Amino acid sequence: MKILCKRTIVSLLICSVLSLNISGSDPIAYMNTLGYSPAQIETAESNNGMVSTQHFLATRVGEKILNKGGNAYDASIAIAFTLAVVLPRAGNIGGGGFMVMYDKETEKSYSIDYREKAPLLSTKDMYLNQDGSFNDQMLSTFGYLSIGVPGTVAGLWDVHKKFGSLPWSVLLEDAINLAEKGFEITPFLADILFKYNEKLSFFNETKNIFQVSYPNFEGKLLIQTDLAKTLKIISEKGRDGFYKGSVANKIAKAMKDNNGLITKSDLENYNPVWRKPLISQYRGNNVITMGPPSSGGLHIIQMLNILENYDLKKVNHNSKEYINLLTEVMKYAYSDRSKYLGDPDFYDVPIEKITSKKYGKRIFNDIEIGQSKPVGEVKPGMYLETESHETTHFSVADSDGNIVSSTYTLNSTFGSGVVIKGTGIVMNNEMDDFSAAPGIPNQFNLLGAEANEIAPNKRPLSSMTPTIVMKNNELFFTTGSPGGSRIISAVLQSILNIIDFDMNLEETTKARRIHHQWFPDILEIEYSLDNKTRKELEDMNYSIVITDPLTCLQLIMYKDKKFYGYGDFRRVDAYASGEIND
Ligand code: DON
């Protein structure tokens, strides 16, 4: 059977090594060798706005809302609800995320944190055995104990209240229809449902939705009747439809019946937070991005500050010099992440210091170009002036100049694997983004410390990096991606590709991505690497692993009064389009 021989490209854990050597070939051709035809073939162009999401059906819904006269915020809300239906492994109402916005009317940027929170009953040691060792029963990644209090519906509701122009119920119409009537399972989704058969069969409620067509999913309809009912309640009652009443009761009951921690009061008290976005300049461009509790934006700014000291135009893209420089820069950022980053409502994150140009310069001076510094010699905050102390991204730009860049997630593919009985809601496993204990890596091999330890009501640290780059007060481009720890490095490279290497969206997307996160000491390179560069990098002492693609950029660019969009073929159904009327 076709699906059996296809290689997974959705693994969230350290990636499998490709046996194919496809060096030099077009990455789209690589996807074709896996039997996929990406939805995006050419760069989308439009005079009137652009929508870029990880599923073509959600992109169409976004366009429809813009064509009804809705703004970028309306379209984004409708997209988020639609992705909860058509991209159930990541799109969600049972998870959380971040949204960065530029609002034309007020000429200001905004960001909202709708990240999940730890339930009130959670404790610092909840994933440890009595002797303090880590309990490796997957408690933080699978099942009820891994679930954080969801934030998506509350976040979207707040955005609607502040910026929305169409009625809330209009924004849910398409999601409800798609859940109720079903939509055709694409080959890509079919493979994922097949691959995750074990995870999706453990709980009956989940199995009865996602495994009914096992093993032949392709072309069948995925119908989500309970989810449609839940979305109807949310459509009628707004935020309260999720956090109070029958849906909240069902969540609290399922938790109680299965030793989960979330209570009705956790739900009622959930609050999204409007936070000041982080804003910095990179070579004359304004980078607007998400601050803590995401680490993504802060480290993007930190790494850009380091790299600004180097004339990147002097090196060839993805040459050994470039990979060496970028890898060294990443080591410092991810090392700082392990110590200083956490929920700013609970821990004093040194945001100004880490994002200062001075700190960037100091790190730059410490990098020894032409070699790999042993990771043991890169320590968190070395030059800080201290007292020594399956996600998805979508972007929308409308013709009025409003811009939205949002990344939201269930964390792992299909989150905790739990669907709350009678609601169709797939629940996140975001609790794994906390640091269970110092030295214990999470599923993305990320380490953490006190800054990111578990506490009731606290938000787990994230890597999600929804970002808007502006030039001369106009949109230049938006970027963002899924991929756990690799989000930060992917977003960084999209910025460098566009600003330093003058790449267009297609070139930016096709370019291979590299990743190093300080721990473990591995340089990941997507797809393949020619033998010569590999040897040169290994001579510098890098341990290289060739990986499957693990990120997926959704890019929108504005240039010469035209919008351009490109959905990343790495997750085949991704699609950007701008079929929007004058
Ligand atoms: O917030 C974070 O950093 C993670 N929960 C994101 C997970 C993710 O990107 C998975 N997607 N492939």
Side-chain angles (χ1 to χ4, degrees):
M1 191 172 41
K2 189 163 127 220
I3 41 186
L4 275 177
C5 63
K6 280 183 192 161
R7 173 177 298 280
T8 172
I9 64 163
V10 291
S11 165
L12 287 175
L13 305 172
I14 269 295
C15 350
S16 51
V17 178
L18 278 184
S19 51
L20 296 168
N21 184 345
I22 50 146
S23 175
S25 72
D26 178 338
I28 290 195
Y30 164 74
M31 297 311 288
N32 295 150
T33 65
L34 302 180
Y36 296 122
S37 311
Q40 193 84 45
I41 296 169
E42 288 173 353
T43 306
E45 281 186 40
S46 160
N47 294 324
N48 300 315
M50 184 63 63
V51 179
S52 183
T53 85
Q54 222 177 292
H55 199 291
F56 50 89
L57 290 174
T59 299
R60 290 286 178 237
V61 169
E63 285 174 326
K64 193 166 151 188
I65 294 290
L66 292 176
N67 279 323
K68 276 188 179 166
N71 58 24
Y73 313 105
D74 296 321
S76 300
I77 294 165
I79 287 167
F81 281 118
T82 305
L83 287 170
V85 180
V86 300
L87 192 78
R89 69 176 190 275
N92 66 79
I93 56 173
F98 303 101
M99 191 179 279
V100 175
M101 293 147 269
Y102 178 79
D103 181 58
K104 189 63 189 170
E105 196 182 317
T106 53
E107 296 194 340
K108 278 197 183 134
S109 45
Y110 299 83
S111 71
I112 186 164
D113 160 3
Y114 58 98
R115 179 79 162 159
E116 299 90 330
K117 293 177 91 168
L120 267 177
L121 291 173
S122 59
T123 57
K124 186 177 147 195
D125 299 337
M126 62 190 274
Y127 302 123
L128 304 184
N129 296 314
Q130 281 202 327
D131 64 1
S133 60
F134 183 62
N135 180 328
D136 56 7
Q137 302 296 302
M138 289 172 49
L139 297 179
S140 70
T141 50
F142 185 69
Y144 286 79
L145 268 191
S146 68
I147 305 173
V149 183
T152 298
V153 176
L156 300 177
W157 178 249
D158 271 20
V159 173
H160 168 68
K161 287 279 153 207
K162 195 171 175 78
F163 292 123
S165 70
L166 293 182
W168 174 255
S169 60
V170 172
L171 310 180
L172 280 107
E173 275 168 10
D174 285 286
I176 293 170
N177 269 332
L178 286 160
E180 200 164 50
K181 305 206 176 89
F183 65 96
E184 201 177 299
I185 298 177
T186 62
F188 190 58
L189 176 56
D191 282 3
I192 290 161
L193 293 171
F194 181 81
K195 176 181 176 229
Y196 282 88
N197 167 257
E198 203 181 326
K199 177 170 184 177
L200 297 175
S201 299
F202 190 86
F203 298 107
N204 276 339
E205 194 70 19
T206 314
K207 185 175 174 186
N208 294 339
I209 300 169
F210 295 113
Q211 292 296 308
V212 269
S213 305
Y214 180 85
N216 296 310
F217 298 96
E218 195 174 323
K220 304 265 171 64
L221 284 184
L222 179 58
I223 295 173
Q224 298 171 80
T225 313
D226 285 342
L227 182 60
K229 284 188 206 146
T230 301
L231 290 170
K232 277 184 194 162
I233 298 173
I234 295 169
S235 165
E236 280 161 27
K237 304 205 159 122
R239 170 200 156 112
D240 287 352
F242 186 92
Y243 294 92
K244 288 182 181 169
S246 62
V247 173
N249 288 343
K250 282 180 184 154
I251 296 176
K253 179 169 182 334
M255 289 286 157
K256 203 162 170 203
D257 292 348
N258 294 281
N259 298 322
L261 301 183
I262 297 176
T263 61
K264 274 168 75 172
S265 115
D266 278 317
L267 293 164
E268 248 178 68
N269 293 322
Y270 178 83
N271 62 316
V273 185
W274 290 90
R275 299 191 190 271
K276 251 174 57 188
L278 299 184
I279 304 182
S280 177
Q281 278 68 47
Y282 177 65
R283 301 199 204 275
N285 301 281
N286 239 13
V287 179
I288 305 166
T289 186
M290 192 69 217
S294 181
S295 60
L298 178 140
H299 291 306
I300 287 293
I301 291 177
Q302 176 187 12
M303 291 192 283
L304 291 174
N305 286 344
I306 304 171
L307 287 163
E308 210 170 30
N309 295 289
Y310 194 89
D311 182 6
L312 283 176
K313 292 201 189 296
K314 279 198 330 217
V315 294
N316 288 330
H317 188 262
N318 279 354
S319 60
K320 72 164 194 252
E321 292 83 5
Y322 181 68
I323 294 176
N324 167 224
L325 179 64
L326 233 57
T327 309
E328 295 306 296
V329 168
M330 288 175 194
K331 281 183 194 167
Y332 286 85
Y334 281 92
S335 154
D336 281 355
R337 185 190 192 281
S338 73
K339 178 158 181 191
Y340 295 109
L341 270 288
D343 182 344
D345 295 341
F346 284 71
Y347 185 85
D348 194 9
V349 181
I351 300 178
E352 280 79 29
K353 286 178 179 160
I354 294 183
T355 56
S356 75
K357 297 273 180 197
K358 197 161 145 198
Y359 184 49
K361 175 93 181 149
R362 286 179 170 189
I363 294 180
F364 178 74
N365 289 340
D366 197 53
I367 291 175
E368 288 155 24
I369 291 171
Q371 43 183 296
S372 164
K373 190 181 274 260
V375 293
E377 288 178 24
V378 179
K379 303 241 163 53
M382 277 172 83
Y383 296 97
L384 256 194
E385 279 175 350
T386 61
E387 298 64 57
S388 252
H389 90 106
E390 203 83 20
T391 306
T392 183
H393 182 83
F394 56 89
S395 299
V396 182
D398 68 24
S399 55
D400 290 334
N402 302 307
I403 311 158
V404 173
S405 177
S406 183
T407 316
Y408 76 150
T409 187
L410 291 168
N411 197 15
S412 300
T413 303
F414 294 99
S416 58
V418 169
V419 170
I420 299 294
K421 199 166 176 198
T423 69
I425 304 171
V426 182
M427 297 298 268
N428 69 82
N429 62 344
E430 222 70 59
M431 291 295 284
D432 186 63
D433 274 351
F434 279 116
S435 164
I440 304 291
N442 74 356
Q443 66 167 319
F444 299 106
N445 268 322
L446 289 166
L447 294 174
E450 187 197 338
N452 190 31
E453 69 187 15
I454 304 170
N457 256 329
K458 189 174 175 182
R459 290 167 151 94
L461 180 60
S462 172
S463 300
M464 294 190 280
T465 316
T467 298
I468 297 170
V469 179
M470 297 187 68
K471 193 158 69 178
N472 305 327
N473 287 327
E474 272 186 349
L475 171 65
F476 183 8
F477 61 95
T478 67
T479 176
S481 173
S485 55
R486 297 167 187 85
I487 294 173
I488 307 174
S489 53
V491 170
L492 173 74
Q493 287 165 86
S494 67
I495 296 174
L496 301 177
N497 290 355
I498 294 172
I499 295 181
D500 290 287
F501 293 95
D502 296 321
M503 290 188 192
N504 62 30
L505 297 189
E506 188 174 336
E507 291 161 340
T508 301
T509 308
K510 283 185 176 169
R512 282 163 206 195
R513 296 172 197 153
I514 68 159
H515 175 73
H516 194 297
Q517 61 181 54
W518 176 64
F519 173 88
D521 186 5
I522 290 170
L523 168 56
E524 290 180 14
I525 298 188
E526 253 188 342
Y527 300 120
S528 66
L529 183 66
D530 65 89
N531 290 340
K532 182 168 167 285
T533 315
R534 183 176 188 134
K535 166 98 182 42
E536 286 167 342
L537 288 165
E538 279 171 350
D539 287 347
M540 290 183 205
N541 279 328
Y542 287 113
S543 307
I544 295 173
V545 173
I546 305 296
T547 66
D548 288 353
L550 289 158
T551 52
C552 178
L553 292 164
Q554 304 303 328
L555 302 166
I556 292 180
M557 188 186 270
Y558 186 64
K559 199 174 169 189
D560 302 330
K561 307 266 167 262
K562 250 194 161 80
F563 295 91
Y564 297 87
Y566 203 86
D568 195 334
F569 48 80
R570 287 166 179 77
R571 307 218 178 155
V572 181
D573 300 327
Y575 190 60
S577 179
E579 289 178 25
I580 297 150
N581 306 328
D582 280 336

